[in-house]
Amino acid sequence: MTNKIRKAVFPAAGLGTRFLPATKASPKEMLPLVDKPLIQYSVEEAVNSGIESILIVTGREKSPIENHFDISFELEHILREKGKTEMFDQVRAIANIARISYTRQQQALGLGHAILQAKDFAENEAFAVLLADDVVDAEKPALRQMIEVYEKYNAPVIATMQVEGEAISRFGVIDADEVEPDVFKIKDMVEKPSFEDAPSDLAIIGRYILTPDIFDEIENTEKGAGGEIQITDAMRNLLKKRDFYAVKLQGTRHDAGDKLGFLIATVEFALKRHDLGEDFRKYLKSLEL
Ligand code: UTP
């Protein structure tokens, strides 16, 4: 069994109810931050972290994701005819970004259930899971940071970040000992605890490195919070049988599946753009707030 993380799973079958009505007939994963769909940011993060093969778990209404990573004959033809080489190269590069396959989760029964759809894809290898609506803006790709911890400890790794105050109760939360700066050995985890019951201020965010023994645990996991099969519950059961680590990511995480988080991410990304940043900054400064 290889110790290398070569495969990544992108659960993208959720209904995106926090972003209605935009997500009624369009995938949340295709919402753009400036001009790039959310899912492309995390696919690029995976590729820049060494991932070779990707499985996207989709559902109905999600075909724009497949089209985005496919060749667009008509568009490419027209761009070439008009001599728009740079745009052509940009569009073609997306189709060549990685080996991508797709499977469907027929019912949105929860993140754990979505990950279970990757059982055949993973075969007997550890694999990464990335949630596209968690966008991590980091110098070293977030998944790369996690793979380094996986390679050192040879155990599953989840991404965490510090969350101040009552907001912690919107997340899965870990109870853990710090074993080296920003690396934690997990003792327990709980999904969406009340503020008073939260075991720490370390929230689980949408990046995981999991081992294939997680699939048996998911299969044995009953519906939990929100009537969904939760990955946190399955991980919690596996935690009784093996070591689990967490890494506090360097970088800024945006919850782009939430309207306010999406707006903040849009502003941050726009300000960083060489072609737009300066004009956009001027515009923001002109607002009398
Ligand atoms: P979220 O809870 O953030 O996404 O799930 P959601 O369910 O699409 O959105 P809201 O909460 O209704 O607004 C986290 C990730 O898990 C995927 C989602 O697509 C998202 O990437 N997911 C969730 C599935 O693939 N299947 C599910 O049944 C549930």
Side-chain angles (χ1 to χ4, degrees), residues 11-18 28-29 105 108-111 114 131 133:
L15 300 177
T17 53
R18 286 174 298 154
K28 161 172 79 172
E29 295 75 12
Q105 183 192 19
L109 295 179
L111 176 57
L131 306 187
D133 45 356

Side-chain angles (χ1 to χ4, degrees), residues 2 4-10 42-57 96-102 118 120-123 125-130 143 147:
T2 171
K4 211 170 161 256
I5 303 294
R6 304 182 304 153
K7 299 180 180 183
V9 178
F10 286 72
S42 39
V43 166
E44 288 175 356
E45 176 192 323
V47 170
N48 292 333
S49 302
I51 294 297
E52 297 161 10
S53 186
I54 286 172
L55 177 73
I56 303 182
V57 181
N96 291 335
I97 197 165
R99 211 156 3 105
I100 304 185
S101 48
Y102 298 87
D120 290 344
F121 168 77
E123 293 174 302
E125 282 181 36
F127 59 98
V129 176
L130 294 94
L143 184 61
I147 288 174

Side-chain angles (χ1 to χ4, degrees), residues 147-164:
I147 288 174
E148 286 172 5
V149 176
Y150 170 80
E151 285 172 348
K152 182 162 175 189
Y153 293 95
N154 213 352
V157 180
I158 58 188
T160 60
M161 62 165 196
Q162 232 154 352
V163 170
E164 308 280 334

